[in-house]
Amino acid sequence: MNDSRRVSAAEVCEALGLATEPRTVTPGRRPVTEVAGVPHELIRWTSRRSDQIAACLSELEHEYVTAVDDDGELKFLPVVSERARAKLNQMAARKTRPPKQKALPLAQLRAWRKTSAILTSGVAADVITSLLEYARAAAAAIRARVAAVVDVALAAVDVTATVFVMNEGGRFHRRHLLAETRRHLTLVLRGRRRDPGLDDQIVAATISTHCLDISEPKTARGQEPGYRLYTACWTLPDLEPARRPPATVPDPDRQPPADPGTPAAPRPPDQEPGEWEIPRVPLRYERAVLAGMVVHEKLRTAAAVRGRAYDVAAHQQAAMPEQLLAHQDTDVPRRTVRTTSPGRRST
């Protein structure tokens, strides 16, 4: 979702009394932002195109890890990296793209989709008919339970950790920080409008507090702020580089390992070759979330020394997916929105 869509979604939510929620669709990947109160079955009903892409992607991944050259050697690694999976996903989207259909009048299209949803989605007809009221009730419950906690210092930690891990070699530009900051605010604000300039304020705090300028500009353009090259000024020892798996031909009678560093397990007797899940390297976003939690813990232990009351729990709760938040204590008092001045060192 680009920034114009995020702003439009916030405007619509504010105008209609709605809220958004982060929902984890694929473990280890970024949560998607959806309108709270819309049944997941109804969302799945509109995701038939995604199901087609997923089915085609599974076939392409199997072809990828089993492809061999003329000498019988593997063409690629016997594990699907995140970059390879992204390219395979684009190929699957192109292969399953349906032909364009004739445009229909809006009233006719809305009536057809409503009838189709009632008959095939599995959602009760009264829920579909009163979907706006259900969504408004869900928004009221979320905003009564979770306040929008925007702590600039803690947001800078999250943004730095995510961008540092997600970018190759831990190097990034200001535009990467700005894009990740806007994603972070979308998660935390839950459909509320962000204050003007708040994203730039967090980026400024990120660069001044947690980033190291490693630019070696050779041109005048390279000296401009938007082209400066940065990396994190703290290391993350818990995030070891991904081990390169051995380039060996997989045995069809042994199940590919979940971790490239572990031996292959015997094939279950009730499975045929190719029926198991294709092994993939650990996802970067999952590692980035862990990196942010490591630095948050340092802030929690150093708060008494620094004299700074970092409310790490409230900050993390604001960006927590609803399926996890539902199990939390609902008697926690509401917290107000707090911001800190950029540039204040937190660790």
Side-chain angles (χ1 to χ4, degrees):
M1 182 186 296
N2 56 35
D3 190 56
S4 61
R5 291 184 179 180
R6 293 189 183 95
V7 173
S8 299
E11 294 289 341
V12 170
C13 288
E14 290 281 0
L16 299 180
L18 305 177
T20 59
E21 62 178 358
R23 179 179 293 176
T24 301
V25 177
T26 304
R29 292 192 176 276
R30 292 182 184 274
V32 298
T33 301
E34 298 171 348
V35 176
V38 179
H40 187 60
E41 295 80 7
L42 193 58
I43 297 175
R44 290 291 305 165
W45 173 78
T46 62
S47 302
R48 287 171 292 184
R49 176 89 173 96
S50 301
D51 294 339
Q52 295 173 355
I53 295 176
C56 182
L57 177 62
S58 179
E59 298 176 0
L60 293 177
E61 286 180 343
H62 184 264
E63 295 177 3
Y64 178 85
V65 299
T66 57
V68 295
D69 55 20
D70 295 337
D71 299 328
E73 298 291 334
L74 284 179
K75 290 184 178 181
F76 313 105
L77 296 177
V79 62
V80 181
S81 66
E82 194 167 357
R83 177 177 295 180
R85 193 173 193 275
K87 293 182 178 180
L88 293 176
N89 190 76
Q90 294 177 357
M91 295 172 58
R94 288 194 297 267
K95 291 182 65 174
T96 59
R97 182 174 296 157
K100 293 185 178 296
Q101 299 180 355
K102 182 179 179 181
L104 298 175
L106 179 59
Q108 180 180 349
L109 184 61
R110 291 178 60 184
W112 176 83
R113 291 184 66 87
K114 181 178 180 180
T115 303
S116 178
I118 293 174
L119 295 177
T120 62
S121 68
V123 181
D126 59 335
V127 175
I128 296 176
T129 304
S130 306
L131 187 59
L132 182 58
E133 287 71 17
Y134 277 90
R136 284 173 174 169
I142 288 177
R143 299 193 177 186
R145 185 169 65 246
V146 181
V149 178
V150 182
D151 190 309
V152 173
L154 292 178
V157 171
D158 287 338
V159 170
T160 306
T162 304
V163 173
F164 175 71
V165 175
M166 295 291 287
N167 283 270
E168 192 71 29
R171 298 176 296 178
F172 45 86
H173 295 279
R174 186 183 183 279
R175 65 178 182 273
H176 298 114
L177 296 173
L178 183 61
E180 187 59 38
T181 296
R182 289 169 175 171
R183 296 189 191 101
H184 176 83
L185 291 175
T186 300
L187 289 177
V188 172
L189 294 177
R190 301 293 183 95
R192 300 175 176 91
R193 300 186 186 94
R194 66 170 183 256
D195 294 336
L198 181 58
D199 49 353
D200 290 321
Q201 185 182 357
I202 294 175
V203 171
T206 301
I207 293 176
S208 63
T209 307
H210 302 297
C211 295
L212 180 65
D213 193 334
I214 57 174
S215 304
E216 295 181 359
K218 298 181 180 180
T219 62
R221 171 169 289 186
Q223 299 178 4
E224 299 178 3
Y227 291 90
R228 307 297 295 182
L229 190 63
Y230 300 97
T231 188
C233 62
W234 31 262
T235 58
L236 302 174
D238 294 337
L239 300 178
E240 296 293 337
R243 289 173 291 179
R244 185 181 181 88
T248 57
V249 179
D251 188 347
D253 290 329
R254 299 188 71 82
Q255 183 173 0
D259 186 346
T262 59
R267 175 169 58 88
D270 59 338
Q271 289 184 346
E272 295 296 329
E275 289 185 356
W276 46 70
E277 184 178 358
I278 301 299
R280 303 182 181 93
V281 298
L283 299 175
R284 291 183 179 180
Y285 182 74
E286 188 175 20
R287 297 165 58 216
V289 173
L290 295 177
M293 295 174 62
V294 170
V295 185
H296 285 169
E297 186 62 28
K298 293 182 179 180
L299 288 173
R300 189 197 305 272
T301 57
V305 179
R306 296 286 183 180
R308 171 73 165 82
Y310 289 104
D311 198 343
V312 179
H315 177 81
Q316 292 177 339
Q317 185 187 40
M320 188 178 296
E322 282 303 302
Q323 60 262 42
L324 298 181
L325 184 64
H327 300 290
Q328 302 295 319
D329 186 4
T330 57
D331 295 332
V332 178
R334 294 188 61 182
R335 300 171 176 88
T336 57
V337 176
R338 293 182 289 107
T339 59
T340 60
S341 58
R344 183 167 183 173
R345 185 167 295 273
S346 57
T347 60

